[in-house]
């Protein structure tokens, strides 16, 4: 990603992977050896092997009736001599089933002529074991190196790189940071392959047969394969060498060609109203009988497969939602089996939660707040939370922002945890490596805008959030979390440093357990960051609100200022400016899609003279970037939310200048 990241990665590799001091004569070519292709050659099918497709990728599945079907003699690849390389990498891409405790399944085994295990790679629940025959004075005996606490049985594809160099064993999962083990027993320099045989997915017998899917199995002699695979846009499917039959998802067979392998895909088609689309439903289908359309779950979005192409025709007013005071932020969320809700952060001492009922939002619950700025919905396991950012102190003069927890018994949110904050503007909830975090944007303490914002970490033992890291901010207004491959990022929108709105907003990357500075952006009263993806491209948009300096006179046109869209340049490992968009004191961006089209809507709040300014919807048009397509009359617009129901797609905006929020319906042709 950055020079810092690259340096950290290189140092880790230098520390963990030593080089053999002895001269090694290769027994094979120093090129990737496709073990999987050797076991199932493209010229003919192996008995008991079938091709399965899952989550958009193909893999082989073995049959228990023929556990030794994928095998070949070691002499086929060890042509120079009979010794296994002392330094090597094994690359495997696989989809592991949910294994019961204490069950082991072999991914690879190399057996001597009389059946002794010379080398093996096997997987169990949360573990990966590498076994090899080690010579000793009293005779050969088996050694084992185990990597623990691996999240491999989640029903997803994963690519593993096991790098071996003498006594150093390193495992990299999905191009993440390597896990290194220095073993007491080194890998032998003279492991003979004479008369040996390779078995893929088994140990020549039914017991220990791999029951998942295998897409890649490669031996790379003499080097660590990680640098050849990573970074990757799809690290879970990073490729070094894939058998031809597994490479393409679609293809035209030759004339009169019969299928060489039985072919299946784990497809499920759901009928009825739109179901949820999560990792569990990934690559499954939903048939909408009303629209006569077939949709595929990809990530968290239903993608049209067979349907008339949807396009946004126009936007119409659907509901005027009157609130008890001006609304500074809105948060739409769904509680499973309960319904769709929106929480409004209101300026006065009471904020509200509304429930979608019969096509409209109706009042559901009121919550005492103190000039609430925003809400954040998040979950931890089955727990459902709402966090409010309070800007002003309570009746006792104490500044607290509150986390509320959903009560399944009362069907209401109840107070769960109070956290001391300083004129809080925003909460962001995120998850890294299975751990849950909250970060607050502390705007100012008294007149001092240059204060720390705080990252809190969930403690599973105490069941509360605890301070984990502080980050210096200047009038912090918004946090945005996102990931790129295995890397986690946090962007802060800094608004004011006490003298000027011309300040740097920062992007942080998580390395070695904490967030460290990755890149800085010159911004002007930055009020919001919005990250979004179009295909494999990653964008980051900032909403600039005001150009002001205490030494200059206030000018009306200082609110008419460019907001900026940045794009990640993977080669340069940095975000670069992609497009300037003129805005009027922009306070929020919201990204949404309709069919195959992508849109951005901006919250324009003030042009220097009036709060009655139009907010604009921009459509993605490829080479042209984002182009204005709809102009929406708004008054003091503060926040946008996009949401979907079975009845259609909607936009909702809040006003910071009147007690009225509006729900708009997207008319789709």
């Amino acid at each position: 990603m950055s020079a810092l990241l690259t340096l950290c990665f290189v140092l880790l590799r230098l520390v963990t992977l030593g080089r053999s001091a002895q001269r090694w004569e290769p027994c094979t070519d120093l090129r990737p050896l496709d073990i999987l292709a050797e076991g199932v050659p493209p010229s003919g099918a192996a008995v008991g092997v079938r091709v399965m497709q899952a989550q958009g990728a193909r893999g082989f599945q073995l049959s228990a009736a023929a556990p030794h079907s994928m095998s070949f003699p070691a002499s086929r690849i060890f042509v120079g001599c009979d010794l296994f390389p002392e330094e090597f990498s094994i690359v495997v891409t696989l989809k592991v089933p949910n294994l019961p405790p204490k069950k082991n399944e072999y991914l690879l085994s190399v057996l001597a002529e009389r059946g002794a295990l010379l080398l093996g790679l096997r997987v169990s629940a949360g573990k990966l074991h590498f076994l090899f025959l080690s010579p000793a004075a009293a005779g050969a005996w088996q050694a084992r190196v185990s990597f623990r606490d691996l999240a491999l049985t989640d029903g997803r594809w994963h690519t593993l790189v096991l790098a071996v160099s003498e006594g150093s064993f390193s495992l990299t999962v999905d191009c993440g940071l390597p896990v290194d083990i220095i073993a007491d027993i080194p890998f032998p320099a003279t492991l003979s392959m004479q008369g040996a045989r390779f078995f893929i997915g088994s140990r020549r017998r039914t017991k220990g047969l791999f029951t998942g899917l295998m897409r890649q199995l490669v031996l790379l002699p003499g080097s660590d394969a990680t640098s050849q695979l990573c970074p990757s846009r799809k690290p879970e499917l990073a490729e070094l060498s894939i058998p031809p039959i597994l490479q393409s998802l679609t293809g035209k067979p030759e004339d009169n060609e019969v299928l060489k392998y039985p072919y299946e895909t784990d497809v499920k088609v759901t009928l009825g109203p739109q179901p949820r689309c999560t990792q569990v439903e990934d690559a499954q289908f939903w048939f909408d009988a009303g629209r006569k359309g077939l949709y595929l779950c990809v990530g968290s979005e239903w993608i049209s497969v067979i349907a008339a192409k949807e396009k946004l025709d126009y936007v119409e007013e659907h509901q005027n939602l009157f609130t008890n005071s001006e609304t500074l932020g809105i948060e739409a969320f769904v509680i499973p089996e309960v319904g769709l809700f929106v929480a409004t952060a209101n300026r006065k001492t009471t904020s509200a939660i509304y429930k979608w009922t019969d096509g409209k939002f109706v009042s559901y619950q009121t919550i005492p707040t103190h000039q609430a700025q925003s809400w954040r919905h998040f979950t931890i396991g089955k727990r459902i939370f709402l966090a409010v950012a309070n800007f002003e102190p309570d009746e006792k003069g104490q500044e607290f922002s509150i986390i509320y927890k959903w009560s399944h018994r009362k069907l209401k949110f109840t107070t769960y945890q109070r956290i001391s904050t300083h004129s809080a503007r925003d909460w962001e909830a995120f998850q890294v490596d299975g751990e849950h975090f909250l970060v607050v944007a502390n705007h100012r303490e008294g007149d001092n805008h240059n204060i720390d914002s705080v990252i809190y970490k969930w403690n599973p033992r105490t069941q509360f959030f605890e301070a984990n890291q502080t980050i210096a901010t200047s009038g912090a207004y918004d946090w945005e979390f996102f990931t790129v491959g295995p890397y986690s990022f946090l962007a802060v929108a800094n608004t004011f440093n006490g003298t000027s709105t011309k300040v740097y907003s920062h992007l942080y990357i998580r390395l070695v357990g904490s967030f460290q500075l990755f890149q800085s952006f010159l911004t002007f009263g930055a009020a919001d960051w919005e990250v979004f993806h179009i295909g494999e491209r990653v964008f980051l948009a900032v909403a600039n609100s005001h150009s002001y300096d205490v030494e200059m006179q206030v000018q009306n046109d200082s609110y008419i200022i460019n907001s900026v869209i940045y794009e990640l340049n993977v080669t340069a490992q940095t975000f670069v400016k992609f497009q300037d968009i003129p805005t009027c004191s922009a306070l929020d961006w919201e990204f949404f899609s309709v069919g195959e089209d992508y849109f951005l809507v901006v919250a324009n709040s003030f042009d220097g003279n009036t709060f009655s300014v139009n907010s604009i919807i921009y459509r993605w048009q490829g080479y042209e970037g984002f182009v204005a397509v709809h102009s929406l009359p708004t008054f003091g617009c503060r926040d946008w939310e996009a949401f979907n129901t079975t009845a259609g797609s909607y936009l909702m905006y809040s006003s910071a200048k009147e007690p009225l929020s509006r729900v708009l319906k997207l008319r789709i042709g």
Side-chain angles (χ1 to χ4, degrees):
M1 284 290 145
S2 66
L4 172 62
L5 178 59
T6 304
L7 177 60
C8 290
F9 182 78
V10 170
L11 289 175
L12 279 171
R13 305 313 302 161
L14 289 176
V15 170
T16 58
L17 291 182
R19 293 293 180 185
S20 174
Q22 302 174 357
R23 184 173 180 268
W24 174 66
E25 295 292 339
C27 295
T28 69
D29 294 334
L30 296 180
R31 58 181 176 81
L33 301 174
D34 195 333
I35 304 298
L36 199 56
E38 291 288 345
V40 187
S43 57
V47 177
V49 179
R50 64 177 59 192
V51 176
M52 296 280 290
Q53 180 175 319
Q55 299 161 10
R58 289 178 178 176
F60 286 124
Q61 185 177 59
L62 293 176
S63 169
H68 56 277
S69 58
M70 295 179 70
S71 68
F72 60 91
S75 58
R76 188 183 296 175
I77 58 175
F78 289 94
V79 294
C81 67
D82 293 326
L83 298 181
F84 199 89
E86 185 181 0
E87 293 186 353
F88 61 93
S89 293
I90 296 176
V91 181
V92 57
T93 299
L94 73 172
K95 183 174 179 288
V96 182
N98 188 14
L99 298 175
K102 298 184 179 181
K103 182 178 182 182
N104 289 277
E105 296 188 349
Y106 278 87
L107 307 176
L108 172 68
S109 65
V110 182
L111 301 185
E113 196 168 6
R114 294 186 176 182
L117 181 69
L118 302 176
L119 181 147
L121 187 64
R122 72 188 188 198
V123 65
S124 61
K127 300 177 185 178
L128 183 76
H129 308 282
F130 179 61
L131 305 95
F132 57 89
L133 195 68
S134 177
W141 57 290
Q142 194 178 98
R144 183 176 69 182
V145 177
S146 297
F147 297 88
R148 304 176 185 277
D149 300 323
L150 304 178
L152 300 180
T153 57
D154 56 358
R156 312 287 297 177
W157 287 102
H158 294 287
T159 294
L160 316 180
V161 179
L162 173 66
V164 178
S165 177
E166 293 185 336
S168 175
F169 301 83
S170 176
L171 179 66
T172 302
V173 180
D174 298 338
C175 289
L177 293 176
V179 177
D180 301 299
I181 295 177
I182 304 299
D184 296 333
I185 303 173
F187 189 82
T190 57
L191 183 61
S192 175
M193 294 287 105
Q194 187 174 7
R197 191 171 186 87
F198 279 72
F199 289 86
I200 300 169
S202 76
R203 193 178 170 176
R204 197 169 57 184
R205 55 186 181 227
T206 302
K207 183 179 179 181
L209 180 75
F210 181 58
T211 56
L213 301 181
M214 190 178 299
R215 175 172 172 81
Q216 177 174 223
L217 183 60
V218 178
L219 171 66
L220 181 63
S223 63
D224 183 355
T226 308
S227 60
Q228 300 187 35
L229 286 169
C230 306
S232 172
R233 293 185 182 275
K234 292 185 177 181
E236 71 281 2
L237 291 171
E239 294 183 5
L240 190 61
S241 181
I242 302 291
I245 189 65
L246 303 180
Q247 287 177 3
S248 100
L249 293 179
T250 57
K252 183 179 179 181
E254 299 176 4
D255 293 340
N256 299 321
E257 181 184 16
V258 297
L259 287 175
K260 295 176 180 176
Y261 306 95
Y263 180 80
E264 293 183 18
T265 180
D266 53 344
V267 172
K268 177 183 177 183
V269 180
T270 301
L271 300 176
Q274 179 174 324
R276 63 180 185 174
C277 176
T278 66
Q279 289 185 354
V280 177
E281 291 81 22
D282 195 29
Q284 304 299 335
F285 288 94
W286 162 53
F287 182 72
D288 186 344
R291 297 183 180 180
K292 297 182 179 179
L294 184 64
Y295 300 86
L296 176 68
C297 178
V298 179
S300 60
E301 182 181 359
W302 289 105
I303 304 298
S304 174
V305 177
I306 303 175
K309 186 177 179 180
E310 293 182 333
K311 281 190 169 293
L312 176 60
D313 285 343
Y314 59 92
V315 180
E316 66 178 6
E317 190 170 75
H318 179 77
Q319 180 185 5
N320 289 331
L321 183 63
F322 292 94
T323 53
N324 59 14
S325 62
E326 302 92 329
T327 302
L328 300 174
I330 50 179
E331 175 86 342
F333 58 94
V334 172
I335 297 179
E337 300 180 1
V338 181
L340 170 69
F341 296 85
V342 66
T344 61
N346 297 114
R347 186 182 299 276
K348 292 185 178 179
T349 57
T350 302
S351 294
I353 298 173
Y354 301 85
K355 183 181 180 183
W356 187 262
T357 306
D358 297 328
K360 298 287 181 68
F361 281 115
V362 297
S363 181
Y364 185 82
Q365 182 181 358
T366 58
I367 296 178
T369 54
H370 302 279
Q371 200 168 320
Q373 302 291 299
S374 63
W375 288 96
R376 183 66 61 204
H377 163 263
F378 62 97
T379 60
I380 299 177
K382 295 182 179 180
R383 302 179 184 89
I384 301 170
F385 296 95
L386 265 183
V388 65
N390 284 323
F391 193 74
E392 294 292 340
D394 59 19
E395 300 81 1
K396 298 179 181 180
Q398 299 174 322
E399 282 193 66
F400 286 102
S401 292
I402 313 295
I403 300 172
Y404 298 88
K405 180 177 178 289
W406 176 257
S407 170
H408 292 279
R409 182 176 61 85
K410 298 179 180 179
L411 296 180
K412 300 282 185 180
F413 283 97
T414 59
T415 301
Y416 186 79
Q417 183 178 0
R418 291 177 171 85
I419 295 180
S420 176
T421 54
H422 302 288
S423 298
R425 288 282 191 183
D426 179 58
W427 285 105
E428 179 75 335
F430 58 94
Q431 188 176 345
V432 178
D433 296 331
E435 296 181 314
H436 296 270
F437 297 85
L438 272 178
V439 58
V440 65
N442 284 327
H443 187 68
R444 60 176 169 81
E445 187 173 3
D447 294 329
N448 182 17
H449 290 77
N450 300 304
I451 61 173
D452 287 340
S453 291
V454 185
I455 299 173
Y456 297 88
K457 181 180 176 181
W458 175 259
N459 186 328
R461 183 180 61 83
T462 64
Q463 305 282 292
F464 287 107
F465 283 96
E466 300 171 354
N468 176 256
Q469 182 182 354
T470 59
I471 295 179
T473 53
S474 299
Y477 216 93
D478 177 69
W479 285 101
E480 181 82 349
F481 174 82
F482 62 96
T483 60
V484 178
Y487 303 104
S488 299
F489 295 89
L490 264 181
V492 64
N494 286 325
T495 304
F496 185 60
N497 63 8
T499 60
S500 176
T501 61
K502 184 180 179 181
V503 295
Y504 281 95
S505 293
H506 302 295
L507 178 64
Y508 300 88
I509 184 171
R510 187 169 175 85
L511 292 174
V512 199
S514 66
F515 284 94
Q516 303 176 29
L517 183 63
F518 178 80
Q519 186 176 351
S520 298
F521 307 84
L522 185 61
T523 54
F524 299 84
D528 180 63
W529 284 107
E530 178 84 352
V531 67
F532 55 93
H533 297 72
I534 297 179
E536 295 186 350
R537 301 170 71 176
V538 183
F539 296 90
L540 193 58
V542 64
N544 286 322
S545 66
H546 189 197
S547 178
Y548 168 77
D549 193 291
V550 293
E551 297 180 356
M552 63 180 284
Q553 292 184 344
V554 177
Q555 299 176 354
N556 288 346
D557 61 0
S558 63
Y559 294 94
I560 302 175
I561 187 172
N562 284 340
S563 293
V564 185
I565 301 173
Y566 299 90
E567 182 180 4
L568 176 63
N569 184 316
V570 177
T571 303
Q573 298 180 347
T574 188
F575 281 90
V576 297
K577 182 183 288 189
F578 174 78
Q579 185 178 357
D580 284 315
I581 295 183
T583 52
C584 301
S585 191
L587 296 179
D588 183 54
W589 284 106
E590 180 78 1
F591 177 77
F592 64 98
S593 62
V594 175
E596 298 178 359
D597 292 329
Y598 301 98
F599 299 89
L600 272 176
V601 59
V602 66
N604 285 326
S605 65
F606 185 59
D607 65 2
N609 296 300
T610 179
F611 295 103
S612 295
V613 292
N614 289 338
S615 293
I616 310 297
I617 296 178
Y618 300 87
R619 183 174 63 206
W620 170 254
Q621 294 190 182
Y623 182 74
E624 300 175 73
F626 284 92
V627 177
V629 290
H630 296 283
S631 183
L632 309 177
T634 54
F635 183 74
C637 187
R638 177 61 183 86
D639 194 16
W640 282 101
E641 278 282 88
F643 62 92
N644 298 302
T645 73
T646 55
S649 300
Y650 300 84
L651 286 173
M652 181 177 181
Y653 87 85
S654 66
S655 171
K657 295 300 175 182
E658 63 177 349
L660 176 65
S661 296
R662 298 180 189 271
V663 180
L664 310 176
K665 187 169 186 177
L666 307 182
R667 283 299 177 183
I668 298 171

